[in-house]
Amino acid sequence: MSLKIHILGCYAATPRSLSNPTSQVVEIKNQLFLIDCAEGTQVQLRKQQVKFSRINHVFISHLHGDHFFGLIGLISTFSLLNREKELHIHGPKGIKELMLMQLKLSESYTKYPLYFHELTSKEPEVILETDSYKVTTIPLNHRIYCNGFLLEEKLGERKLNMDAIRNYPIDQVYFSKIKQGKNMVLEDGTEIPNEELTFAPDPPKSYAYCSDTVFDETLAQRIPNATVLYHESTFLDKEVDLAEKTKHSTAKQAAMVAKQAGVQHLILGHYSTRYKSLEMFAEEAKTVFSSVHLADDGKVFEF
């Protein structure tokens, strides 16, 4: 099972003709999750042909406009498309008031169930969990209350070793129990160890989304060994003073977090538009951490 990240927008502050503020869709365990929802999100979803009717959970990191100004439009569009499934919005306290006021004044309440899950904790908390995945907040240090999100697969079922199974009179009706890790007992009482009949499941993948935040050395402790880390890199290291002042990070600092956390891959994003080339971000980060990827609008990563 792959982990796929659709970058809808990954630039800081304001929309431009060729770039969009922050929004992305993450596919994990056959589920689609929308993380942040800036202006232009709907257009980008259509351009990338993402089946956004499958999105049932939206995660908003914080209430700066370049991370949520597209949300009311998406909520309204779902009504126009006659959505019936419920939609869950996870975000900072105040998100419910903001959305409901716009719906109230425009007399356009949704025709589908709309649920808000407001966040206030400054400690990590599990906000969504099923048998196959879990979502935990990652408290970030920004100018206002802000969370990142850690999406984690749970260990899946074991894989059938069909060559081994064919050596025994095993009906396929038992395959489900075998995949769950149980030994097989034949009619004559012979017990076959599960390890002989199966392969280990794929290692579970995890995705840590961290935007916006000042450099925080404790962050690595909250995302140990993540498969992929998306970390903001608004500035280059020569503007580190400006990063500290605005509570953002540099590409080098993002790489330091990746190295300290022992992640497999680092994706940079949330770039200031003052820079002419994104390659400068990658070059700087690679002086600290080798597996660096550059987010860009319309880009899709699959791990």
Side-chain angles (χ1 to χ4, degrees):
M1 188 66 65
S2 66
L3 166 65
K4 186 179 291 188
I5 302 111
H6 301 259
I7 305 297
L8 308 178
C10 62
Y11 290 80
T14 60
R16 299 188 304 167
S17 59
L18 297 176
S19 63
N20 294 275
T22 302
S23 184
Q24 56 186 249
V25 169
V26 179
E27 294 187 47
I28 190 169
K29 286 292 188 180
N30 292 318
Q31 302 293 317
L32 297 188
F33 300 103
L34 178 65
I35 305 183
D36 280 339
C37 188
E39 294 175 81
T41 293
Q42 290 188 72
V43 174
Q44 290 295 91
L45 285 167
R46 293 183 183 278
K47 281 185 177 180
Q48 293 197 36
Q49 298 182 331
V50 175
K51 295 182 179 179
F52 60 95
S53 61
R54 291 177 53 201
I55 295 172
N56 298 320
H57 292 272
V58 179
F59 301 98
I60 301 297
S61 62
H62 63 297
L63 298 181
H64 279 159
D66 59 334
H67 291 260
F68 87 100
F69 275 172
L71 182 57
I72 188 62
L74 182 65
I75 290 172
S76 299
T77 292
F78 277 141
S79 278
L80 294 173
L81 296 176
N82 298 313
R83 181 187 177 101
E84 296 181 352
K85 292 186 300 182
E86 59 192 40
L87 181 66
H88 295 264
I89 310 294
H90 308 260
K93 184 175 177 59
I95 190 72
K96 179 177 180 179
E97 180 182 1
L98 280 163
M99 295 300 105
L100 291 185
M101 178 61 71
Q102 293 179 84
L103 293 172
K104 175 184 176 182
L105 294 179
S106 62
E107 297 185 8
S108 54
Y109 287 112
T110 63
K111 303 170 186 177
Y112 57 89
L114 182 60
Y115 297 101
F116 293 92
H117 308 271
E118 295 195 308
L119 307 173
T120 58
S121 176
K122 294 184 179 180
E123 296 296 326
E125 60 178 336
V126 177
I127 56 175
L128 179 62
E129 186 168 15
T130 70
D131 292 339
S132 59
Y133 63 84
K134 178 173 69 172
V135 182
T136 308
T137 59
I138 307 170
L140 301 175
N141 184 357
H142 193 41
R143 299 194 301 276
I144 62 174
Y145 178 75
C146 184
N147 285 298
F149 302 98
L150 177 62
L151 287 70
E152 299 174 275
E153 291 182 337
K154 292 186 177 180
L155 191 64
E157 293 183 323
R158 297 184 66 82
K159 299 178 179 180
L160 297 176
N161 181 346
M162 294 307 299
D163 289 338
I165 287 175
R166 291 189 188 100
N167 293 326
Y168 301 97
I170 300 175
D171 192 282
Q172 64 181 14
V173 70
Y174 297 108
F175 286 0
S176 179
K177 290 184 178 180
I178 294 173
K179 288 192 291 185
Q180 292 170 17
K182 297 180 181 179
N183 293 341
M184 181 66 202
V185 180
L186 303 180
E187 291 185 3
D188 64 3
T190 302
E191 183 171 357
I192 308 169
N194 185 269
E195 290 77 9
E196 182 180 338
L197 302 175
T198 62
F199 299 111
D202 293 331
K205 295 181 175 65
S206 57
Y207 179 64
Y209 171 88
C210 297
S211 185
D212 301 6
T213 183
V214 72
F215 175 61
D216 182 356
E217 290 187 349
T218 67
L219 183 58
Q221 302 169 16
R222 293 172 171 167
I223 56 171
N225 305 311
T227 308
V228 184
L229 165 63
Y230 175 95
H231 195 292
E232 74 128 289
S233 55
T234 307
F235 299 104
L236 294 176
D237 204 51
K238 60 184 179 180
E239 276 81 38
V240 67
D241 291 343
L242 185 56
E244 292 175 358
K245 179 180 179 181
T246 59
K247 291 207 168 183
H248 282 294
S249 298
T250 68
K252 183 177 180 180
Q253 290 171 335
M256 291 168 65
V257 173
K259 183 177 181 179
Q260 292 167 4
V263 305
Q264 295 178 30
H265 304 277
L266 169 64
I267 300 176
L268 300 176
H270 201 267
Y271 316 108
S272 168
T273 55
R274 70 180 59 216
Y275 303 106
K276 295 181 180 180
S277 170
L278 297 186
E279 288 301 323
M280 294 186 292
F281 290 88
E283 291 169 5
E284 180 173 294
K286 285 180 179 179
T287 64
V288 176
F289 185 79
S290 60
S291 184
V292 176
H293 308 267
L294 290 172
D296 206 354
D297 294 7
K299 209 167 187 177
V300 180
F301 297 95
E302 189 164 1
F303 301 94

